[in-house]
Amino acid sequence: MNAENVSVNTTAESVNGTTLAARVASSVEHVGPVLDGELIDDTLPQPRRRTVRRRFARWWLHSPRVPLWLKSKPQAVQAAKDATVAVLRSPWRYCGAVVRGLVVGARWWRRWIRVADYRTAAEESEKLADKFTEIRELTLFRWKVTGAVAAVAAVVVAVVDLVYGSDPLWIAGAVVSVTLAILGRRKVGSPGRKPALAGPRTLTWTMDPQVLVDAFRDAKLIGKDEALRLVERATRVGDGWAITVDLPATRKAADVVKNRDALASALAVDEVQLIVERVRGNGGHAGRVSMWVADEDPYSKPPVRTPLLGVSRWDAWRPVPFGRDARDRRVDLPLVWTSLLVGAIPRQGKTFSARLAAAGLILDAWVRLYVADFKAGKDWDAAGQVAHRFMSGDEPDHVLTLVDWLVELVGEVQGRFRRMRDLDDLTCPESKVTPEMSRDSSLNMPITAIFIDEVQVPLEDRTPVVVQGKKVNTGDYVGELLTWLAKKGPAAGIVLVLATQRPDSKTIPSGLRAVLGSRFALRVMDWRDSNIVLGEQMNTRGFDSSRLLPSHKGVGILRPDGDTAAGADVLAMTVRTYYMPNEDWQTICQQGRALREEAGTLTGHAAGQDTQPELDHAAVARAIGSGSNEPATAAAERVELPEPLAAVVEYLGDDLGDGGRDFVPTAELVDALDVEPTAFGRQMSDYGCRSERFRVPAEDGRTKQVRGYATADIRAAVDAVAAGMLDPGDEEDDP
């Protein structure tokens, strides 16, 4: 029955539907095709909304009115921890404040009952005996007032309890306790109530502000009556605590960095666990210090393998992953437009560090590689699969081969600069190689990196070679070629990476060291060798690689030429390099070869084409100025000059030669070398350089007397050291 009804209804609806459709069709007028579209309201300012949101986000992140914990997730987490601790500690803190309020109130009542102000005035006027009767009467009167107030209060409490019960008494007690807590709160300036850190308070799990202030005082970085001002609350960063403070007005952050060891001793931690940096830029000033204290030795953990194993290719114009700092932040090393010097004693990871820099360039198919391994081992053999030129050996023939390579590269740099002059401004906006130019095969200007391991071998070679009709030592010629490439090569796309296990002034000429942009010093023997790698006076700024522990393999001090994770204003940092064993190194080299075969950029030694370079020694010698007569600088490069004489010679440079300056003010040297004036003058006088008064023209046309040193005396001191008349070993071992 139900099925029949359904069938009948369906049929009826079909008939009715057909009839209705026919009626609608007869009444519809055809007006043409109907197009689909979307209604767009042009009045909605969508782009403006995004702009407003971006502006609001920018204001939110940079406004000093917005709390820091609302800008950063780690700060918000720390603020939540602090709030939790505050809630848990609030009952005890409240009770302590009430007790302190009772003590303060009792002291105030005692002074009032004893008429302390009247008594003090009488004592100061020496009329205490005359006023004793009045003071006694006033004291007895105030005792009576106290007793009367106590009796009245007791009666009021009894009446209120009898009439209204105990509730009003509890309310009154709460009001009194709040009053006492306010009275007993810790206030700045009250005896014994000066906070350890002025400014915003902070509650942390283990970082006690008073311990930090005591450490600064024990290290004699601030006075006994001085305090620190908190800029950023103590926050957990990695496996340690980070905090930023402002020093008193008369203190400098540079002194804290310089005396980092003393501060670490006061904090009872090893110096490798403490990182102290001056905050630079818009958010910092000369008295703002950023600190990070590790819970334990950050370099005692197993090393991390290089992340380059997980990439298929790399862009040489990007900084190469180099290692991690103590806070476990990744540190990338920029290589293009700069150069790198790696120095260490044997078995500290020097070759591994240089190979890390090479790994990123190997994974770029457009980079041309020159590899010279004067260790004569097999550490660099895998690079022969991708290198345009490769050799391994420590014989004089290998040194002469390196000379040919360097001459070829000098000619290549000159040719690139000549070709850049003919390019339009769109292709070459400046006299520098761009990423597009380095990958244009028609221009033939690829990034070219030359790696020289154990560079002291060619620099110390004394095989004579003829340059412009003169016989010179091969080592001196190699030093001049490397110096020229380090000066002019980066703009033409030449990357110079040198590694040595003998970082001393005899091995690495001062002129070459001065133009190497990035420095990486692993553990060395003493502070002099550390300064040879990192730069003069770096040990006085708190960076001395001779203090690294022997167990810290691959740990060194990096002085980068460019921006890093720690910021562009960081002078240097301690870095633990990534771990890349031989099997990983071979894998990366094989992958680099596959990339070059795919891109068609496999050339030279890797392609089985060990052709002799086209050389023009005469043109190259004229370009680098080989054979120029500079007795003072040449003597400085032949011998190891003592400090501060070596720093003075390096600072003056060409001004020390003939035709240069006749006089250099003492104030200029002190500022440039960042040395203590009295000690500097005493050390210079030990080498026959005494400060004298010279008459120099002033800005107003008059002459004035300025104390300084004659460059002739400095040249004489250098020549005396070179002749052995002054022994550099007489210098004290401690800077």
Side-chain angles (χ1 to χ4, degrees), residues 281-296:
N282 295 330
H285 55 79
R288 180 161 293 179
V289 177
S290 173
M291 299 175 53
W292 184 81
V293 185
D295 299 333
E296 57 185 9

Side-chain angles (χ1 to χ4, degrees), residues 12-33:
E13 290 175 1
S14 176
V15 172
N16 293 335
T18 304
T19 304
L20 181 60
R23 293 176 180 177
V24 172
S26 61
S27 62
V28 170
E29 180 180 1
H30 294 281
V31 295

Side-chain angles (χ1 to χ4, degrees), residues 210-224 262-263 265-267:
Q210 187 60 46
V211 172
L212 184 62
V213 175
D214 291 341
F216 269 80
R217 290 172 179 168
D218 294 340
K220 302 186 184 308
L221 298 174
I222 60 175
K224 293 183 178 180
L263 183 58
S265 176
L267 291 171

Side-chain angles (χ1 to χ4, degrees), residues 540-599:
T540 63
R541 304 180 187 181
F543 302 103
D544 186 358
S545 62
S546 65
R547 298 186 178 183
L548 297 174
L549 299 179
S551 59
H552 291 163
K553 303 294 184 182
V555 178
I557 299 177
L558 175 65
R559 187 177 182 181
D561 183 15
D563 195 4
T564 61
D569 298 320
V570 175
L571 178 62
M573 68 191 79
T574 303
V575 177
R576 183 170 194 171
T577 57
Y578 286 119
Y579 179 60
M580 187 173 62
N582 287 331
E583 54 269 22
D584 295 346
W585 168 246
Q586 293 174 2
T587 300
I588 289 177
C589 290
Q590 293 170 2
Q591 186 175 351
R593 181 180 180 86
L595 292 173
R596 283 165 173 76
E597 290 176 345
E598 180 182 354

Side-chain angles (χ1 to χ4, degrees), residues 62 77-78 141 161 163 313 374 442 464 511 520 530 534 566 587 628 720:
H62 295 87
V77 171
Q78 184 63 37
F141 173 75
D161 182 61
V163 177
R313 63 182 69 242
F374 286 97
S442 62
F520 185 60
S530 178
L534 297 176
T587 300
S628 59

Side-chain angles (χ1 to χ4, degrees), residues 595-674:
L595 292 173
R596 283 165 173 76
E597 290 176 345
E598 180 182 354
T601 57
L602 200 64
T603 59
H605 176 85
Q609 303 170 357
D610 285 329
T611 58
Q612 292 296 327
E614 297 181 2
L615 306 177
D616 188 353
H617 286 277
V620 170
R622 288 192 299 270
I624 67 175
S626 179
S628 59
N629 184 19
E630 296 180 356
T633 55
E637 294 180 0
R638 288 197 307 269
V639 299
E640 181 179 2
L641 295 178
E643 296 292 349
L645 194 58
V648 173
V649 171
E650 182 174 352
Y651 170 71
L652 293 176
D654 296 338
D655 291 337
L656 196 60
D658 295 335
R661 302 169 62 178
D662 297 329
F663 159 76
V664 54
T666 303
E668 178 183 345
L669 291 177
V670 170
D671 293 340
L673 303 181
D674 192 17

Side-chain angles (χ1 to χ4, degrees), residues 7 79 102 111 113 129 182 305 310 347 457 523 554 570 607 666 687 690 716:
S7 176
L102 286 173
R111 289 177 56 84
I113 205 74
I182 295 174
R305 282 200 165 184
R347 296 177 299 280
V457 174
R523 195 171 75 91
V570 175
T666 303
Y687 298 104
R690 299 187 180 278

